[in-house]
Structures are given as structure tokens and as C-alpha cells.
């Protein structure tokens, strides 16, 4: 399977009735500021460079961000914070993320998520995560130059460990810590952990610009 075929499979997925109902209801109701938008309202595929060396993993689309635009982290406050940082670090050609056709290009990096549909209250349940995780596993297999991961948030961190344990790797019982750098095993990728760039984290100062910039510098250092 190639990335285009995988993306088509993801976009057409209807495995989780609760998420299908919610993503489509948000797309119909819309937010007042986006009444003129034709919401995406479907699962969101990965975005970026499948031949890149870094895979960034988030939690799930935002209701009026990716669920509206159809591109990971595009169109909401989390994306504003993320893509500005990636631009400063040299992983993105521009600092803004407005819509799919805005010219944003990622360098050496693919951005994905644990769940591809927006969940109510930003909380997918375990069965929904399990339904979606095989898509992430397939992306990992397709990234032939993969060297490492950046996990945005605890759920992304824990499910990346789960993927490799599911493959039989003896991954140590790592604890999630912002700025932590972990080696999953001999000849396996490294993993850098970060707080998620959600508004809750960035507006409260739990995740600052300097803290986030440090994450991408650590990833660049690991690439060598």
C-alpha cells in the first residue's frame, strides 16, 4: 500500500459510529465565524513528507480546525503555535496554516495523529483509538527514512510506545515528560516528548514558545 491509497482508506473510514456522528454534526452546525466554509467533516489523513525522517504525532483533529480544513493542525490555535515553531526550526516553508491551498510545505517531516476524527470534548475512547491506530502503524511502515518521533501530548506518547510493544519490541516503561528524549530500542527510532500545543497549554504558560522551540532543536540534533 502506498500513501495515497492509505489516505483514501482513512478518509472513507466509518469504523466509529460516535465519531462519525460527531464530526458530521460539527460540519453541519459550523462555528459562526466559519459559516461560509464547506467543512471537511471526514477523517483527516497525515500531512507532509512521507520520505521525511521525523514523524510528528498529535491526538486528534480539532472541531473547527482540521475537521474544517481537512489538514492536520490547520486552521486553529494549536496549528498557529505549531507551524510557527516548525518554520523557525526550518521544517516548514511558512509560519501560517490557514487552509489546504495556502502553500504550506513541510520539510523532512510527516504530521499525523492517534485519531483521525474529531472526538467530543477532545477525548477519544480506547476502542476508537484501537480502531485508528493501524493507520498510524501503516504510516510508520511507509516512512522508509524514519529516524524519530515527536509526540505531542501524553496520549500520542503512550500509543507510540504501544505500537512498538505490539511489534514485540522490549520498550522500557518510559514516563512521559516534556522535553524527554527516549530511545525505543536498538536500531529503533528515538522519541522526543512534548506537551501538546493546545490553547489550554499555551495560554496558561504550561507550554511557552521557548519550551516548544527547544523540542524541535532536540529533534534536529538527533537527526545530526
Amino acid at each position: 500500500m502506498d500513501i495515497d491509497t492509505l489516505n483514501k482508506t482513512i478518509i472513507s473510514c466509518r469504523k466509529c459510529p460516535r465519531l462519525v456522528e460527531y464530526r458530521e454534526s460539527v460540519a453541519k452546525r459550523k462555528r459562526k465565524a466559519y459559516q461560509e466554509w464547506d467543512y471537511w467533516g471526514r477523517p483527516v489523513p497525515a500531512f507532509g513528507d512521507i520520505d521525511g525522517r521525523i514523524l510528528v504525532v498529535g491526538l486528534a483533529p480539532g472541531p473547527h480546525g482540521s475537521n474544517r480544513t481537512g489538514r492536520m493542525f490547520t486552521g486553529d490555535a494549536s496549528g498557529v503555535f505549531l507551524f510557527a515553531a516548525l518554520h523557525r526550526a526550518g521544517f516548514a516553508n511558512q509560519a501560517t496554516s490557514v487552509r489546504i491551498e495556502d502553500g504550506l510545505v513541510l520539510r523532512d517531516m510527516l504530521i499525523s495523529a492517534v485519531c483521525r476524527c474529531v472526538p467530543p470534548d477532545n477525548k477519544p475512547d480506547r476502542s476508537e483509538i484501537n480502531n485508528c491506530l493501524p493507520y498510524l502503524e501503516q504510516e510508520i511502515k511507509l516512512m522508509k527514512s524514519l529516524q524519530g518521533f515527536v509526540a505531542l501530548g501524553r496520549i500520542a506518547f503512550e500509543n507510540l510506545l504501544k505500537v512498538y510493544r505490539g511489534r514485540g519490541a522490549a520498550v522500557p516503561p518510559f514516563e512521559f515528560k516534556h522535553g524527554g528524549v527516549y530511545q525505543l530500542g536498538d536500531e529503533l527510532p528515538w522519541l522526543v516528548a512534548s506537551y501538546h500545543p493546545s490553547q489550554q497549554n499555551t495560554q496558561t504558560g504550561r507550554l511557552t514558545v521557548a519550551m516548544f522551540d527547544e523540542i524541535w532543536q532536540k529533534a534536529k540534533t538527533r537527526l545530526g
Side-chain angles (χ1 to χ4, degrees), residues 56-62 72-73 111-125 129 132-133 136 150-157 159 196-198:
V56 179
V57 182
L59 172 57
M72 286 290 178
F73 281 99
I111 296 179
S112 189
V114 172
C115 286
R116 309 312 169 94
C117 293
V118 54
D121 301 319
N122 206 34
K123 294 179 180 178
D125 65 33
I129 290 175
C132 220
L133 211 54
L136 180 63
V150 176
L152 301 179
R154 183 183 298 274
I155 291 178
F157 178 83
N159 279 281
H196 192 281
S198 64

Side-chain angles (χ1 to χ4, degrees), residues 137-213:
E137 294 181 60
Q138 189 63 40
E139 287 161 356
I140 292 170
K141 290 177 183 177
L142 288 171
M143 293 188 74
K144 302 304 183 184
S145 300
L146 180 66
Q147 291 187 18
F149 300 98
V150 176
L152 301 179
R154 183 183 298 274
I155 291 178
F157 178 83
E158 291 175 348
N159 279 281
L160 281 168
L161 300 185
K162 179 180 178 181
V163 165
Y164 279 89
R165 288 171 182 150
R167 293 182 176 186
V171 179
F174 294 129
E175 287 293 324
F176 175 82
K177 182 181 73 170
H178 176 81
V181 180
Y182 310 86
Q183 185 63 45
L184 298 181
D186 293 341
E187 299 184 4
L188 293 180
W190 44 262
L191 171 59
V192 177
S194 172
Y195 293 141
H196 192 281
S198 64
Q199 271 192 303
Q200 182 179 0
N201 285 337
T202 59
Q203 289 188 346
T204 60
R206 187 175 192 227
L207 179 62
T208 66
V209 169
M211 289 169 64
F212 208 37
D213 284 348

Side-chain angles (χ1 to χ4, degrees), residues 179-181 190 192 213-223:
V181 180
W190 44 262
V192 177
D213 284 348
E214 186 180 359
I215 293 297
W216 305 108
Q217 291 305 316
K218 286 185 176 184
K220 289 179 75 171
T221 299
R222 297 294 293 186
L223 289 179

